[in-house]
Amino acid sequence: MSNIHNFGAGPAKLPSEVFDELEEELVNFNGTGISLMETSHRSATYIKLNAEIQDVVRRLLNVPQNYKILFLQGGGQGQFAGVPLNLMSRTGTADYVITGIWSVIAAREARKYGNVRFATPQQDSYVNIPDLSTWDLDPNASYVHICDNETIDGVEYDFIPNTNGVPLVADMCSNIMSKKFDITKFGAVYGCAQKNIGTAGVTMVIVREDLLNQAMPACPSVFDWTLTAKNNSILNTPPMQAIEVMGRVLKWIERNGKLEKMEELAVKKSSMIYDYIDQSNGFYYAPVEKRFRSKMNIPFRVGPPKGDVDLENQFIEDAEKQGLIQLRGHRWNTSLRLQFGHC
């Protein structure tokens, strides 16, 4: 396994230390004599674990007490519905900033629940974040939604937009815990664990308390942020094993320099690849404008800007022989891709 370098975007690579800890605890969690997978979610054992992981999140992101930390299921796409179901009822309309495929999909899902306006136009390709002065924002919107890092397109924000008092909501599925940011600039952020902080099964939502108690009557209970908060993320049986894995990754981050170190490593690793691409005399091509290049995932082509299929297939084949796996891009995007987790 030491010769394998996994560039999967999600499920993504986990730290080896986390695997060692999980192996040790798998059949005897915290000395209980049983696995966490067969432990009651109402037990003191799990309630303690749930609180510990929320505390780690608060420490890493400096989350104030007027924000709730929620552990839900359904992935990022579940929250594409969960966000409007919980927030759009105030005015019935929301603004979506379109910067890539995932923000388009989020907006399309939200349209099922109210009026969705594109604050920036949909495009054939996405290579930057439109200047904030060009955004068409509605002061009556219930919220403004952004995708902080577009996993497929490789576009990442380098600023937190000022939405003039309208709550800002961010999809941070693929870059949460990769950098320090001011959580108080957001009404809510969410991220599925499997891209950056764990494995599939749990999605974390951090929401300001004043945005609770607004869920639509049709909102399913398992997506209702207010019910989840009142029940401390134990409304029903949570994905305890996935939450434990996430917790162990978060503790690993805390032990290894916290978010400042994660950001330093993300810049270092991504810069190495971007520099190589930029110095290849056009043999490799990265389409995203330099300012907005993602530090988490790098889409690129081999050959001309639209790629050379034969060369790219050869690249994948030769890379796998060297132990570099899961480099082929998303099925909705023909680019190759390098994905950087924390480890």
Side-chain angles (χ1 to χ4, degrees), residues 6 14 16 29 49 72 86 91 99 115 123 167 181 207 214 223 259 282 292 310 315 329 332 339:
N6 179 8
L14 295 172
S16 58
F29 180 75
L49 177 68
L72 299 104
N86 281 279
T91 67
T99 53
N115 179 45
Q123 303 174 43
F181 66 91
V207 57
Q214 298 182 33
F223 279 173
L259 299 188
F292 300 108
D310 292 335
F315 179 92
W332 294 336
Q339 171 77 18

Side-chain angles (χ1 to χ4, degrees), residues 172-184:
M172 291 189 169
C173 283
S174 56
N175 69 344
I176 196 164
M177 299 296 177
S178 70
K179 60 184 178 181
K180 291 284 287 187
F181 66 91
D182 185 353
I183 189 70
T184 66

